Structures are given as C-alpha cells and as structure tokens.
Amino acid sequence: MTPLRQRMIQDMQMRNLSQGTVNAYVSAVAQFAKYFGRSPEHLGGEQIREYLVYLVEQRRAGWSQYNVARCALRFLYDTTLGRVGLVEKLAWAKPPRRLPTVLSVDEVRRMLKVAASCPRDKALLMTMYGAGLRISETLALKAQDIDTPRMLIHVRLGKGSKDRMVKLSAPLLTALRDAWRARPKHKTPTDRLFPCNANPAMPMNRGTAYRVVTRAAKRAGITKRVGPHTLRHSYATHLLEAGTDLHTIQLLLGHANFKTTTLYLHLSQAAIGAAASPLDLLNAPPANRPANKPPTP
C-alpha cells in the first residue's frame, strides 16, 4: 500500500465514512492513477477533467460511477492533499431517476414459501422484507439486537452511522429462532444471526446473501429483476398501501431526507389507483344531478 493511499484511508476513517464508501473511493482513485500511469500527487485539474470526460465519452460509465469518481477525487485533493478547488467546478452528473422494482404481496409470499426448507434463507428474506432493512444492516445483526420483550429490532450504525429501532413481528421472531437453532455448530461461538460459514466471527458475505434472494425469486417464478433492496422497497410500499403515514415510514427506513421517502407514492398501487382517469369522468353524470335524468330546461 502506497503512503498516499494509506493517508487517504486514514482521513476517511477519521471522518467515520462507511467501509463501503472507503472501498469505493480507493478503487476510483486507483483507476484514475492507472489511467495516467502516475501517482495522483503529480496530477492536477486538467488531468482530473480529462479523466472524467473519458469516463463519460469512452468508458460509457453510468452516472453513479461518474459521481463516485468525482467525489473520490474531490476528497483526495481537497482533504488528503490539501489542494482545494481542483474538482469543485467540475459538473455533477444528474442521473435519471428510475422507479425501483416492487414485489406484490403474493410474490413475497411465494419467495418465502420456496425458501422454507432452509431456515437461514427464510429468516434472511423475512428480515429484509419484514423489517425493511438494508442488506448491510441485516447481515450486521447480532442476538443482542433483538429486543424480544419490547418486540423491537435495534439497527446499529445504519446508513449515515445512525441507530434506529424497527418493529419485530411475531412471525419474524419465530423465523429467527428457527434459524438460530438450525445453524451448524461452530467451534468458535458467535452471536451473529447471519454468520459467515468459514469464519463465524464475521457476517455472511454480501454475495451469498444476494444469491439467496435471487435464487428464491427464480424458484418462485418471478421474472422481475429482484435483489435484496427490492424487499426493502416492497416493505415500504406495502406499509404505505396498508395506511401507514409517510413520516412513520421515513423513521422506519432511516431516511435522512423526507423527499427520499415520497418516492413510494409513485410505487403505491393504492395511491395511484385513488386518482381518477379523465377518461372515467367523460361519461360520469354531472355533479348534483341523478344519473339518467335529463336536465330541467
């Protein structure tokens, strides 16, 4: 590891950035240095601009990848190298806002049914859907995070390093207990609810969890593109359709910005269905006049 990379990682750790952000920034800066074949210490604003243009025009990088690269380079030059302003004036990418995939209640039920033969897989799916947790929050859960007397789950250091509490349903508690009793005996005791088989002290690999979700969706005959976050989106949408207000959903999901939560208004079948189509109004009787009765001259 080069001294510059080590210093940048230390700067990010001191700012309590998540490990996912640290990994993404380090990778983006490494690609930048590889493109020019030189250390970023010897590069400047023109090279930064050239590289970002290269990502857009030649690599055809997604806007999310572009923004990660821009943020990583800004952190490197502003914070680690102290060369403020080199990235500031370079444009942000405005990514297209696509609606996420949402499963129906029946599709979720089918996924849980096909996963029933494996208590661990069923508990994993039920936790992400039944509590609306992100994949990282789910895999980080430990036995002490389950508050059985109060029927709550303590989500520790979620996105933005924030704790929150979410409801623990009785079916989810039963599934977690079944998974706990069914897991293999490890030489090293662990309190993790979803431990890694090779090293029980560590959480299950994210790739393994992702495969559990996609395999269950495929076996359930679902043709939509389904991932772990699909279950979280479905949780929020189904809550909204059941009458839960948006502010409560915001607190349960741990959203810092209320605008993020309003996305689910665009996904709720109930909210969309409540709006009448103008076509339905064309043949409707005029207000305050009984149907099939001609107007009085």
Side-chain angles (χ1 to χ4, degrees):
M1 181 183 297
T2 65
L4 179 60
R5 175 180 294 195
Q6 185 174 11
R7 193 160 74 247
M8 181 180 176
I9 292 174
Q10 290 171 345
D11 287 337
M12 290 189 283
Q13 291 172 338
M14 286 189 291
R15 283 156 180 77
N16 200 27
L17 299 186
S18 71
Q19 189 58 47
T21 300
V22 172
N23 294 341
Y25 280 18
V26 168
S27 176
V29 171
Q31 291 297 317
F32 172 67
K34 182 179 179 181
Y35 176 77
F36 289 101
R38 298 166 62 190
S39 170
E41 290 180 284
H42 307 300
L43 302 172
E46 285 302 317
Q47 287 77 31
I48 296 172
R49 178 182 175 82
E50 178 185 337
Y51 180 70
L52 293 178
V53 170
Y54 157 76
L55 288 180
V56 174
E57 294 185 348
Q58 298 184 42
R59 283 280 301 277
R60 302 292 182 184
W63 295 118
S64 176
Q65 183 181 351
Y66 172 93
N67 281 335
V68 168
R70 184 188 181 281
C71 289
L73 293 172
R74 180 178 178 181
F75 186 93
L76 172 70
Y77 282 97
D78 284 11
T79 304
T80 303
L81 294 176
R83 296 164 63 183
V84 180
L86 294 181
V87 186
E88 184 66 32
K89 295 182 180 180
L90 296 177
W92 278 98
K94 186 177 181 181
R97 186 168 185 177
R98 297 186 176 91
L99 293 178
T101 300
V102 170
L103 301 172
S104 68
V105 173
D106 181 64
E107 287 172 328
V108 175
R109 188 181 295 114
R110 280 154 44 197
M111 286 183 64
L112 296 179
K113 184 177 180 179
V114 300
S117 59
C118 179
R120 183 204 66 174
D121 291 0
K122 182 179 179 181
L124 184 72
L125 296 174
M126 290 184 69
T127 303
M128 287 188 280
Y129 171 72
L133 302 191
R134 301 176 177 91
I135 185 172
S136 58
E137 296 168 344
T138 301
L139 299 183
L141 286 176
K142 297 182 178 180
Q144 57 265 36
D145 298 329
I146 308 301
D147 189 344
T148 305
R150 299 171 63 202
M151 292 301 286
L152 295 172
I153 299 176
H154 191 165
V155 182
R156 303 181 189 275
L157 299 178
K159 191 173 182 179
S161 299
K162 297 177 182 177
D163 285 12
R164 72 180 189 279
M165 306 294 287
V166 297
K167 182 179 179 180
L168 170 65
S169 67
L172 176 54
L173 177 60
T174 299
L176 290 172
R177 284 173 169 169
D178 290 343
W180 183 272
R181 288 191 290 264
R183 63 185 187 164
K185 303 298 181 184
H186 297 289
K187 294 181 179 179
T188 305
T190 179
D191 57 355
R192 291 191 176 277
L193 296 184
F194 302 104
C196 173
N197 287 333
N199 183 4
M202 299 298 293
M204 177 192 296
N205 184 273
R206 291 170 67 103
T208 302
Y210 191 94
R211 286 189 291 274
V212 168
V213 176
T214 55
R215 182 170 61 242
K218 183 177 181 180
R219 291 178 59 199
I222 299 171
T223 57
K224 300 174 182 176
R225 185 174 181 179
V226 178
H229 220 67
T230 307
L231 296 173
R232 175 173 160 89
H233 289 314
S234 302
Y235 161 85
T237 305
H238 296 167
L239 280 182
L240 184 62
E241 292 176 340
T244 307
D245 64 273
L246 278 173
H247 180 65
T248 301
I249 295 174
Q250 178 191 8
L251 295 176
L252 292 172
L253 293 176
H255 286 163
N257 192 329
F258 184 70
K259 287 182 64 177
T260 305
T261 314
T262 59
L263 165 72
Y264 297 104
L265 287 172
H266 300 278
L267 301 172
S268 169
Q269 185 178 3
I272 296 172
S277 167
L279 290 174
D280 296 330
L281 303 176
L282 290 179
N283 297 319
N288 302 322
R289 175 159 56 87
N292 303 321
K293 183 178 180 179
T296 302

